[in-house]
Amino acid sequence: MTDQGLTPPQTVPALSATSLNKTFTVRENGLGKPARYVHAVSDFSFDLPVGSTLGIVGESGCGKSTTARLLMHLVKPDSGQIRLSGEPVSRAKRDLKQFRRKVQMVFQDSSASLNPRLTIEQSITFAPMVHGVSLRAARETAWRLLDRVGLDPARFTGRYPHELSGGQRQRVNIARALALNPRVVIFDEAVSALDKSVEAQVLNLLNELKAEFGLSYIFISHDLNVVRYISDHVLVMYLGQVVEQGPVDQVYATPRHPYTRALLASMPSPDPEQRTMAAPITGDPPSPIDLPPGCRFAPRCAFAESICDTMPYELRHGETRVRCHMADPKLGHSKAEVIQ
Amino acid sequence: MNTPLLSAKDLTVQFRTPKGPITAVNGIDLTLERGEVLGIIGESGSGKSVTMRALLRILPEAKTEIAGDLKLDGKDVLSLKGHDLAAYRGGDVSMVFQEPATALDPVFTIGTQISETVRRHRKVSRKDAQARALEMLELVRIPSPASRLGNYPHEMSGGMRQRAMIALALAAGPKLLLADEPTTALDATVQIQVILLLRELQREMGMATIFVTHDVGVAAEISDRIAVMYAGRIVETGTAAEVLKNPKHPYTQGLLSSTVQGAVPGTPIKAIPGMPPDLAQMPPGCAFAPRCPLATSACQAAVPDLRAQGGERRVACVRLEEIA
Ligand SMILES: Nc1ncnc2c1ncn2[C@@H]1O[C@H](COP(=O)(O)OP(=O)(O)OP(=O)(O)O)[C@@H](O)[C@H]1O
Ligand SMILES: Nc1ncnc2c1ncn2[C@@H]1O[C@H](COP(=O)(O)OP(=O)(O)OP(=O)(O)O)[C@@H](O)[C@H]1O
Ligand SMILES: [Mg+2]
Ligand SMILES: [Mg+2]
């Protein structure tokens, strides 16, 4: 090739977000009490390169599902922008309809997300027909996809959700998500309720489908092993914020943020002769209500000092980004060498 | 001669269902020494929870047939009735579950629930029982335990509720603790805290534990010995290191290699094909044969016995010598 001197074509991410924020207002017990705020997602940015998988990990309540719902335009952000293939998405009805065709979502609870009164075939053909596809074409697609996800169409199209196992229902949900020929699929704890051996079958299927249909994935899970296996990049959340993001092998091999380290060190050891001797972090994750202004991890962090009372930015550190004052020695944290 | 704390011989549990009887636990043998931790692993539906419920005698009597021989500390568990059975449940043996809501009563405070449990099983004053409740919350490391005694379960976080349930289960000083996936619903950082806590309490109190999980990592962290269940039967048992580091039964091998832990990103996970059998229509012979890459017609002839394989290991596979 003689493309020397040519600038490489700018690669446009399949999906990206810039500085998304979402705060929920809650009033405990109503009457008289002042409003309190849940900082569900704060200053959240990422790029999802075409054909890749971005894993999102973090503890219960850290804002993973809210992020997914923001990306799907199911809740309105307080501020920030979402782009699909580089184009900003407006909340105009036409834009949203187009967007929802191209970005699909699969949830954890496989039974709640299928209408119990529709057959499997009706569930899969429903959305395409709303988008103007003929019954015949929608049916053809449904049969092809069912076959592809390993469910014999002749046996399964006429069945109802309650006649399927959890793993079979999740395959139907995957087929349904693919029926509109999307570019991006967001999985929110989509394999968490499955038995391990079924989980393995479904993860293999997801990887095959990704290559076959040229998809990009966002994969939310609290299972750190699953995320390591399926993702190219990983994003670690703590109390509504991204504390670290980067290539999955780098983040898992050399985690920088003290929270990422504690989280990864909490994974059970698979070797009974090398058990974990001490918990890397104590207590439960705190509530995201009325957070202090500084670093959100500081109250549990072994390295916290006075500078941590201010909010750290996401700082570049090679290919990863870390939200920690220690990531830049110039900021004056006395233990900056800890994460270098 | 020292007799084991628990010994189950040919334990069988049958449910009467509208579609006919199903055998959820099919002639299993278990022994457990004082202070020992046995991990039970296996796929969903393999009979792990039913085994635990049988050991605690909490299966619905009208619909269940339990057979075999079950002894705890010399007591014949299957013949217990009335007052003796009530003293056994929660006294000699207690259980913690995946979902604390199963064990904690939403309308009583944590303190009341623990002290009432203590008074049900031991002749102590109300005041001593309350002191014991405080001691238990301290033991499971609930922060500010004195004020937490007055909390209702819904006023606590998930990790704290799990600890409160453990405190409740241990309050009467059981000889055997049954733990049915007690950490499965917890976040990673809280899960490891609860595992370490259980390990420590178990060591301090010298109590034996049976720990059910389908997470191999969790099993490795807590178990001295492991039993692998498939379709109601134990197919392999041995020390944790024997079974997890060098599995011999083709099912154990499949189960361990089908986990994402060991899988190489970018290459498919070695998933076991197919699904476990329908318990109402068990295949003849080895129940794993229809999914086993190594099965031959010999596997269908009879249900294989667990055979000793050196060390503590026993494996139920007729082809073991040929495939090794
Ligand atoms: N509609 C809402 N109103 C008020 N608070 C909300 C709302 N939706 C979510 N939250 C709060 O926002 C925070 C983030 O919740 P979210 O469901 O995004 O967490 P998550 O990371 O998906 O947790 P999990 O792992 O348990 O699914 C939580 O504290 C939650 O209680
Ligand atoms: N009360 C009951 N009546 C009829 N069948 C039952 C009953 N309880 C359990 N079973 C059946 O017994 C079998 C074993 O169930 P069990 O709950 O022990 O599985 P398990 O190994 O604990 O699975 P999991 O990992 O999903 O918890 C299953 O097929 C189940 O459907
Ligand atoms: Mg969620
Ligand atoms: Mg169970």
Side-chain angles (χ1 to χ4, degrees):
Chain A
M1 291 283 285
T2 55
D3 57 357
Q4 269 178 337
L6 291 178
T7 47
Q10 194 66 36
T11 50
V12 178
L15 188 69
S16 63
T18 325
S19 303
L20 287 180
N21 283 287
K22 180 70 196 175
T23 304
F24 294 106
T25 313
V26 287
R27 250 173 269 263
E28 285 206 332
N29 309 330
L31 300 176
K33 291 219 179 169
R36 308 176 79 190
Y37 301 98
V38 178
H39 299 270
V41 172
S42 312
D43 190 17
F44 187 100
S45 306
F46 73 88
D47 286 340
L48 174 66
V50 174
S52 75
T53 298
L54 174 69
I56 301 184
V57 298
E59 290 171 305
S60 183
C62 71
K64 304 182 296 294
S65 296
T66 305
T67 302
R69 286 157 65 219
L70 283 168
L71 296 175
M72 289 301 294
H73 293 80
L74 295 172
V75 292
K76 195 170 175 288
D78 303 333
S79 61
Q81 194 168 54
I82 295 163
R83 288 167 186 267
L84 181 64
S85 304
E87 299 293 326
V89 186
S90 83
R91 294 192 66 87
K93 247 192 167 161
R94 281 189 56 174
D95 259 24
L96 282 187
K97 194 170 174 190
Q98 270 311 308
F99 182 88
R100 296 222 165 101
R101 229 190 137 126
K102 292 188 176 142
V103 183
Q104 289 288 315
M105 187 152 167
V106 179
F107 298 91
Q108 165 166 5
D109 192 344
S110 61
S111 48
S113 46
L114 288 172
N115 184 331
R117 271 174 293 203
L118 296 186
T119 63
I120 299 313
E121 183 182 82
Q122 287 165 335
S123 273
I124 300 176
T125 55
F126 185 82
M129 286 169 63
V130 170
H131 281 273
V133 176
S134 73
L135 173 62
R136 212 177 131 190
R139 266 197 181 148
E140 254 172 49
T141 309
W143 280 59
R144 185 169 48 80
L145 286 171
L146 276 176
D147 187 46
R148 188 61 200 80
V149 298
L151 298 175
D152 178 6
R155 278 173 60 206
F156 284 94
T157 39
R159 292 205 195 173
Y160 288 88
H162 73 266
E163 297 173 295
L164 271 56
S165 73
Q168 291 169 338
R169 276 198 298 264
Q170 209 53 311
R171 287 166 200 265
V172 172
N173 277 314
I174 292 164
R176 188 178 59 162
L178 296 183
L180 284 166
N181 198 18
R183 309 314 313 143
V184 175
V185 187
I186 301 176
F187 299 91
D188 189 356
E189 304 281 5
V191 298
S192 309
L194 302 178
D195 196 47
K196 296 286 169 197
S197 58
V198 182
E199 176 186 271
Q201 296 170 354
V202 172
L203 290 175
N204 284 341
L205 173 67
L206 292 184
N207 272 337
E208 290 166 26
L209 294 172
K210 186 174 114 175
E212 196 172 318
F213 295 91
L215 300 167
S216 310
Y217 288 162
I218 290 183
F219 197 93
I220 296 173
S221 174
H222 66 265
D223 188 325
L224 299 160
N225 284 309
V226 171
V227 166
R228 171 171 51 193
Y229 173 73
I230 197 123
S231 311
D232 302 299
H233 287 80
V234 64
L235 186 157
V236 184
M237 288 187 79
Y238 187 77
L239 286 181
Q241 287 182 325
V242 181
V243 294
E244 182 158 359
Q245 58 178 317
V248 73
D249 27 334
Q250 283 186 27
V251 173
Y252 275 67
T254 46
R256 307 260 176 207
H257 195 285
Y259 173 67
T260 313
R261 293 179 176 196
L263 184 66
L264 294 175
S266 299
M267 291 163 76
S269 152
D271 182 347
E273 287 164 336
Q274 309 230 324
R275 292 173 170 187
T276 308
M277 294 323 289
I281 187 173
T282 55
D284 299 325
S287 127
I289 292 177
D290 299 332
L291 290 165
C295 170
R296 292 182 182 173
F297 186 60
R300 301 172 83 194
C301 182
F303 305 106
E305 46 188 60
S306 60
I307 190 183
C308 305
D309 295 341
T310 60
M311 176 64 78
Y313 296 103
E314 275 192 84
L315 298 164
R316 261 193 193 287
H317 201 294
E319 278 186 80
T320 63
R321 278 192 280 159
V322 189
R323 189 187 289 274
C324 175
H325 290 295
M326 291 191 288
D328 183 355
K330 289 197 292 291
L331 292 176
H333 192 293
S334 71
K335 303 254 173 45
E337 79 281 0
V338 167
I339 73 171
Q340 299 306 310
Chain B
M1 203 191 93
N2 98 354
T3 54
L5 173 72
L6 173 80
S7 95
K9 288 215 174 61
D10 208 15
L11 184 68
T12 300
V13 180
Q14 242 186 23
F15 294 113
R16 283 182 282 272
T17 74
K19 290 181 186 165
I22 66 158
T23 309
V25 176
N26 207 334
I28 66 171
D29 294 347
L30 289 174
T31 56
L32 201 61
E33 304 296 335
R34 275 155 244 276
E36 197 181 23
V37 182
L38 173 72
I40 304 185
I41 58 175
E43 273 166 293
S44 186
S46 58
K48 305 183 296 294
S49 297
V50 171
T51 301
M52 303 285 262
R53 286 164 191 278
L55 296 179
L56 191 59
R57 288 279 317 270
I58 52 170
L59 288 164
E61 299 215 341
K63 289 183 188 153
T64 326
E65 200 90 55
I66 307 185
D69 187 51
L70 184 58
K71 288 212 167 58
L72 183 94
D73 215 6
K75 232 180 244 181
D76 181 2
V77 175
L78 295 186
S79 66
L80 291 176
K81 278 198 214 57
H83 182 77
D84 291 339
L85 183 57
Y88 172 80
R89 294 180 183 143
D92 294 322
V93 180
S94 63
M95 184 145 164
V96 291
F97 303 84
Q98 174 169 343
E99 194 26 74
T102 333
L104 297 176
D105 192 325
V107 302
F108 293 105
T109 64
I110 297 297
T112 306
Q113 295 188 48
I114 299 178
S115 53
E116 284 307 307
T117 302
V118 173
R119 277 163 60 80
R120 202 174 315 133
H121 293 287
R122 288 189 184 178
K123 289 194 177 64
V124 294
S125 69
R126 177 156 288 144
K127 198 159 159 244
D128 287 349
Q130 275 160 2
R132 172 79 175 163
L134 179 60
E135 194 186 308
M136 291 314 296
L137 292 196
E138 280 165 359
L139 194 66
V140 298
R141 273 180 233 113
I142 286 182
S144 11
S147 70
R148 289 291 175 186
L149 283 174
N151 274 181
Y152 292 91
H154 75 267
E155 294 173 312
M156 304 178 123
S157 73
M160 229 186 281
R161 268 201 297 270
Q162 211 71 15
R163 271 171 265 195
M165 173 169 61
I166 293 170
L168 180 65
L170 301 186
K175 296 173 187 137
L176 173 63
L177 177 71
L178 304 172
D180 195 353
E181 313 225 21
T183 64
T184 306
L186 300 176
D187 283 322
T189 57
V190 184
Q191 167 170 285
I192 195 73
Q193 292 175 44
V194 172
I195 290 173
L196 291 171
L197 174 71
L198 276 173
R199 231 158 65 186
E200 199 182 310
L201 295 177
Q202 181 266 328
R203 213 173 25 232
E204 273 170 21
M205 304 173 72
M207 150 192 84
T209 302
I210 303 183
F211 195 106
V212 162
T213 176
H214 46 231
D215 185 321
V216 174
V218 172
E221 286 280 5
I222 196 134
S223 314
D224 300 318
R225 281 190 302 129
I226 300 260
V228 183
M229 282 190 82
Y230 188 76
R233 300 189 182 114
I234 293 175
V235 296
E236 177 161 5
T237 151
T239 65
E242 282 169 346
V243 175
L244 297 179
K245 295 180 92 162
N246 181 20
K248 289 258 163 95
H249 194 287
Y251 174 67
T252 317
Q253 291 173 348
L255 188 71
L256 296 181
S257 66
S258 72
T259 60
V260 280
Q261 270 104 313
V264 180
T267 62
I269 309 169
K270 294 191 204 80
I272 309 175
M275 288 202 287
D278 179 351
L279 294 177
Q281 293 168 28
M282 287 278 276
C286 171
F288 185 60
R291 298 171 80 188
C292 182
L294 306 167
T296 63
S297 55
C299 302
Q300 290 167 19
V303 177
D305 288 325
L306 274 170
R307 291 180 294 141
Q309 299 294 325
E312 299 204 18
R313 191 200 306 264
R314 292 188 301 143
V315 183
C317 174
V318 288
R319 300 209 56 216
L320 206 57
E321 287 73 19
E322 298 161 68
I323 63 184

